[in-house]
Amino acid sequence: MSMFWMREITRQVSEWQAERARWRADAQRCKAARRAARKSGGRLPEPENTGPPPTGFTLLPWLLMGLGSFSNLLQGRTPQPWIGSLGLLAFNSLYIYVTFRAFAKEKRGARSTRVALALMGVVTCALAIAYGGSWLYFFPLLGLATGAVMRGPWLGRAGLALTALAAAVSAVRDGWDALNVAYGTFLSTMVTAAILSLTEAVRELRAAREELAHRAVEEERLRFSRDLHDLLGHTLSVIVVKSEAARRLAPSNMDAALLQITDIESVGRQALTEIREAVTGYRQGSLATELDRADSVLTAADITPAIHRSGPPLPASAEALLGWVVREAVTNVVRHSDAARCEISVEGTGERVQLSIADNGTGTDVQPTPSVRPNVGGTGLKGLKERLTAAGGSLEAGPTPRGGFLVTAELPTEVAEPPTEVQEQPPPSQLSPHPRPTLTP
């Protein structure tokens, strides 16, 4: 038994030393950050760590309340001292066992902890009834252990029941002095529970805040990488297509080649502007601009465009999302479809708007399916599907029964703002039987 307690105490001491070392390291980092802020004249960071987490050692000094009983045993003023010694040893052992388990959630609610607390109550009542006097002060110690373990809706009932028990036993032994014992028991129970619960809540809130900050950084990083993919992927595709067109036209029609080169310059300048706006977070797309660009790039790639738009004007947020769909889908058509014709249709009503981009490409190993498959793969279309889903819309892509490829996006017209949250992406899936990888700059 003694070996078990020695191993348990050694383990608790090791854990406490490790936590204290981590706290000291965090405190040193905080001090270094505050010194750097003072030197640079910036805002001083708020301290993030209030100290090492409490452990069972926090409640050990309260065992000194039992020194009066221990003194009575040493002075021989306790009848049958061997029974008192065994009772004192049992109480202290149970107190240490319960308080050390009270600081771990999984151990605090375990049945063994509750059984040990009940045995501790039985020992306390037995010693108090048998000896009275200073032995009654084990009730406040029992209250400390109860408050450390019983946190939650049952705390009030447990505290009142324990107080009533302490008052009854003390009244039998010491009369009116029972008021002091009852008051100390109730106070130790409720104050211990309140302080420990508040400390645990503060640490949980700090951990939750750190987790939210970490997730916000990750989401912003994903948003920025996705936006750069959408920007640079489409822009570089346009530049490549127009450069190839200029190279083909240069030997026979220099004026047409110069026109393509002028378009390349315009696209490059516009890309620089969009990248600057993306970095500052104020970029908004325009569906009309993207449709004009789609017409230009499809024509330069020798793909006949057919663009139709109907319905009322759309808010800027809905146009931004649909503009991204046009940009990504047209990029895939130019790079991967081997199509001769591409139809883009925008049909809007008062509540919803539908965008479809269809081509008559064949690709390789075409296996037409009877319907459009809703699963969307690839980096670009997958990110777009997340955006539209978060805004209450949908995105479907897949081959058509007549051949070619169809991308359909549907969105409510009233979208507050282009969503920037990035949900956890599902496992990558094949977009279509066509070799249609999404553009990656």
Side-chain angles (χ1 to χ4, degrees):
M1 186 68 177
S2 60
M3 292 298 296
F4 169 78
W5 284 114
M6 288 299 296
R7 287 196 299 268
E8 182 68 16
I9 293 176
T10 302
R11 185 181 64 82
Q12 293 288 345
V13 170
S14 300
E15 292 180 357
W16 177 76
Q17 289 177 344
E19 291 291 343
R20 186 172 181 82
R22 283 194 289 269
W23 167 69
R24 286 180 176 176
D26 292 340
Q28 291 296 329
R29 285 194 294 269
C30 183
K31 290 180 180 179
R34 292 176 69 87
R35 285 196 297 267
R38 289 192 186 96
K39 292 180 181 179
S40 61
R43 182 179 179 181
L44 295 178
E46 297 180 0
E48 290 292 328
N49 202 318
T50 57
T55 62
F57 292 100
T58 308
L59 301 179
L60 283 185
W62 292 101
L63 283 175
L64 295 177
M65 295 178 62
L67 282 180
S69 303
F70 185 69
S71 176
N72 291 338
L73 287 173
L74 292 180
Q75 296 176 10
R77 292 186 296 177
T78 301
Q80 297 180 337
W82 63 273
I83 296 180
S85 300
L86 291 177
L88 185 61
L89 177 62
F91 179 87
N92 290 338
S93 301
L94 291 171
Y95 179 87
I96 294 173
Y97 178 80
V98 170
T99 53
F100 272 97
R101 293 176 65 88
F103 291 91
K105 282 187 176 182
E106 63 278 2
K107 295 180 180 180
R108 185 166 65 232
R111 179 180 298 180
S112 58
T113 304
R114 303 299 174 91
V115 171
L117 185 63
L119 291 176
M120 185 177 171
V122 172
V123 172
T124 302
C125 291
L127 293 176
I129 293 174
Y131 298 113
S134 59
W135 296 85
L136 295 174
Y137 291 106
F138 285 156
F139 277 109
L141 288 176
L142 178 61
L144 286 172
T146 304
V149 173
M150 301 290 294
R151 308 181 204 173
W154 293 94
L155 174 64
R157 300 177 185 179
L160 291 176
L162 181 59
T163 301
L165 177 63
V169 174
S170 301
V172 172
R173 293 294 307 184
D174 285 0
W176 287 103
D177 193 50
L179 294 177
N180 294 330
V181 176
Y183 176 73
T185 302
F186 180 78
L187 195 64
S188 62
T189 303
M190 305 308 293
V191 171
T192 301
I195 293 177
L196 295 182
S197 298
L198 181 60
T199 302
E200 186 175 354
V202 169
R203 295 187 179 278
E204 290 178 353
L205 288 175
R206 181 176 291 111
R209 185 176 65 178
E210 292 177 355
E211 178 64 21
L212 289 175
H214 178 72
R215 291 183 60 183
V217 171
E218 293 296 328
E219 290 175 357
E220 180 62 18
R221 184 178 299 157
L222 289 174
R223 182 198 68 83
F224 187 72
S225 63
R226 182 183 60 193
D227 286 355
L228 285 183
H229 166 270
D230 294 340
L231 281 170
L232 295 180
H234 175 78
T235 302
L236 292 177
S237 295
V238 172
I239 291 175
V240 169
V241 170
K242 287 186 173 291
S243 299
E244 292 176 350
R247 177 176 53 81
R248 292 196 307 265
L249 294 171
S252 58
N253 192 341
M254 183 57 68
D255 293 337
L258 290 176
L259 180 60
Q260 296 294 334
I261 294 174
T262 302
D263 289 344
I264 293 173
E265 181 183 1
S266 176
V267 170
R269 293 182 183 276
Q270 182 64 27
L272 288 175
T273 302
E274 290 181 344
I275 290 175
R276 293 190 185 102
E277 292 176 351
V279 171
T280 56
Y282 295 109
R283 174 174 46 82
Q284 285 288 344
S286 170
L287 180 59
T289 301
E290 294 300 333
L291 291 175
D292 292 340
R293 290 180 180 175
D295 182 82
S296 175
V297 69
L298 289 171
T299 302
D302 293 331
I303 301 174
T304 303
I307 301 175
H308 309 282
R309 182 173 183 178
S310 62
L314 301 175
S317 53
E319 285 216 356
L321 286 173
L322 295 179
W324 285 120
V325 178
V326 171
R327 176 186 291 247
E328 182 66 26
V330 169
T331 299
N332 288 338
V333 170
V334 171
R335 295 198 62 185
H336 313 300
S337 70
D338 294 331
R341 180 179 174 83
C342 179
E343 296 183 3
I344 303 176
S345 175
V346 182
E347 298 178 358
T349 61
E351 297 180 354
R352 300 187 74 83
V353 59
Q354 186 180 58
L355 167 68
S356 61
I357 300 98
D359 64 71
N360 62 349
T362 56
T364 59
D365 300 329
V366 178
Q367 299 291 336
T369 57
S371 61
V372 177
R373 297 189 305 173
N375 56 316
V376 179
T379 304
L381 288 177
K382 185 179 295 182
L384 290 174
K385 183 179 182 180
E386 291 175 352
R387 291 187 179 191
L388 268 69
T389 301
S394 62
L395 178 66
E396 298 180 357
T400 62
R402 296 176 298 175
F405 200 78
L406 174 65
V407 176
T408 304
E410 189 174 350
L411 192 69
T413 55
E414 295 298 330
V415 181
E417 60 181 6
T420 58
E421 292 84 357
V422 178
Q423 301 175 354
E424 184 178 355
Q425 297 182 354
S429 59
Q430 187 67 20
L431 178 60
S432 71
H434 301 65
R436 294 175 180 267
T438 304
L439 176 64
T440 302

